[in-house]
Amino acid sequence: MDRSIADELLFEERVIRPLPQFVVEANLKPAQVAELREAATDDPLWYWEDAADELEWFRKWDTVLDEDNAPFYRWFAGARCNIVHNALERHTLTVNKNKLALIWEGEPGDTRKYTYFELNREVNRFANALRGLGVGKGDRVVIYMPPLPETVFAMLASAKIGAVHSMVFAGFSAKALRGRIADSDAKVVITADGFYRNGRVVRLKDTVDRALFDADSVESVVVVRRTGQEVDISSGRDFWYEELVRRERTQASTEVMDASDPLFVLYTAGTTGKPKGIVHAHGGYMVGVNRTFRDVFDIKPTDIFWCAADTGWITGHTAAIYGPLLAGTTAVLYEGHPNYPQPDRLWSIVERYGVSILYTPPTTIRMLMRHGTQYPESHNLTSLRLLGTVGETISPVTWDWFHKHVGGNACPVLDTWWQTETGMFMISPLPVAALKPGSVARPLPGVEAEVVDRQGQPVPPGKTGFLVITKPWPAMMVAIEDDPDAYRSYWDRVPGAYFAGDAARKDEDGYIWIQGRADDVLIIAGHRIGTAELEGAFVSHKAVVEVAIIGIADRIKGEAAKAFVVLGDDYDPTDELIEELKEHVRGELGPVAVVKAIEFRESLPKTSCGKLLRRVLKSEELGVAPEDDGDPDDCWSA
Ligand code: PRX
């Protein structure tokens, strides 16, 4: 992590209390929060069963939590449900029927709005079309799309018919897409001809064609017409979305799923090796997300909620789509770049739609801060009542800017800690909590977290250790696609606890301060990228014999990748080669893989058994002595 940020976190501990008016209006008052927290700590299963009772089930559970096959926990064992029933159909039978579910804005400025009734109708038509293509329960559907209304239709339509969606961020390359398609054995790929990003048209369908060359599992490709550009249509395999759904019925049956049947797979950088397909299930995910989303954001019937993260990441799944829809709120979705056409786009969206809750990664705030306060100040942002951040540590300076210039000093800034694996918010202040800028506050009711040493013992307040979750929680991943050992590895490090992979410390008040990843994962602009994936992209270039990647500080992106490269004998360490390598890695992984610096070396530091010592390179980079932990091969520290 950025050392200057770490220093700031250590030295600035301010407490900001909620405004009295905010407390008066909050759904959960401080006394209720305290009571809930205590009851949930005493009996977490009671707490989560109570959360489950708020939703509709086709059949209720026999057991709230089946621990027989731990760590493969089964939440709501024996229950039958479908998340789409709760996120959509349920609302069409209430006063929410004609309420806006989705307000979408494209980068060029076009907008589309859907009520719950209309969204349900679109999802049903797409569900029928997918069934017509032979997609059914358990089939994998890859969705390679930017945030479009059809992206939401595609996710919900897949879930409705019991298929498992696997979103791939539209900034990934053909090769990365290909790997994810192959790993999940996808039957259908849903994509768009292209989309708009920072004033440019990105050609998406071409990338899909490259990714599908020779891929045998994929039977059909559904293409949404977004930009109207010419694309190749392979007859018999590719279908225009509009033509496919035009004649479909607007009613569709909802597949009855077992609570632990998979809902989606989402690939994310693992501690080691290639990206892992994290699997979430219908029942537990909907219970955990529904309760935590509603409570953290204090959702009221009149809210307009905007999660400004891309739908391709877990934040987009939980906070842009499933969370708001489960809560019956109105969600805003934006296709494009925050700086387009100028750095006030976010603020103009907030003003135009009257957004009341804005949730965004700190990277976006840092990027917009750079352009000065005149941009937020030129808009009326008084509709905002709550702000949230996610994905990386927010420095107090960024926190203050967001709080003051966007929130007018009146909106709590909720820093939520969670992961692709956790599915739901885990550690976060509730809106009435006292806030400490830079801290993610305390675990939410029903969640138990600890900061421990290598032996799994809690460390004293103020000391850095490893963040673990000591009790199962309902939205936890249920599996890793085709890799039970990788799943188990999260639970092996500290017996009985889930090892999050983050370094953290806890202060005297029990507030948690995240210090960054404790493994070989980088968080670049809030996106999680494995050093192994980046290193793999480097060595696929003919000049590279060996490479080691470390994270270095970046003012805007928080963290950026630096590569130490050993070249083959026939290659010279030139500036041209640096540019060529950067381009090559971008081509291999997509624009998401930003390499900030490349340094050529004769050799790389290794342990006696040949394991790369990235932390030695990191210490050299920072100009500090390497941490001597006496156990250089320990997987906790390499
Ligand atoms: O290191 C933590 C960081 O993001 C990691 C999870 O990444 P991902 O699965 O992509 O999910 C990101 C969005 C939920 C964590 O292990 N992280 C997440 N939230 C925070 C954070 N770091 C500091 N503060 C946060 N609020």
Side-chain angles (χ1 to χ4, degrees), residues 5 88 121 192 222-223 251 255 275 287 326 329 332 359 376 476 497 528 551 566 615:
I5 293 178
L88 204 50
R121 193 167 58 184
V222 180
V223 189
Q251 292 83 33
E255 198 70 40
V287 171
L326 284 164
T329 192
V332 173
Y359 188 50
M476 61 199 290
R528 189 165 148 182
V566 179
R615 64 198 164 82

Side-chain angles (χ1 to χ4, degrees), residues 338-355:
N339 265 342
Y340 187 82
Q342 51 171 18
D344 71 340
R345 186 58 180 267
L346 258 55
W347 323 130
S348 113
I349 291 177
V350 167
E351 180 174 21
R352 273 180 292 116
Y353 301 115
V355 171

Side-chain angles (χ1 to χ4, degrees), residues 346-347 358-360 365 369 384 386-389 394 397-409 411 413-414:
L346 258 55
W347 323 130
L358 175 64
Y359 188 50
T360 179
I365 310 169
M369 253 168 84
L384 287 168
L386 261 178
L387 300 172
T389 67
I394 179 164
V397 172
T398 312
W399 197 101
D400 284 343
W401 191 89
F402 200 34
H403 187 241
K404 181 168 176 205
H405 299 291
V406 180
N409 285 328
C411 308
V413 177
L414 308 173

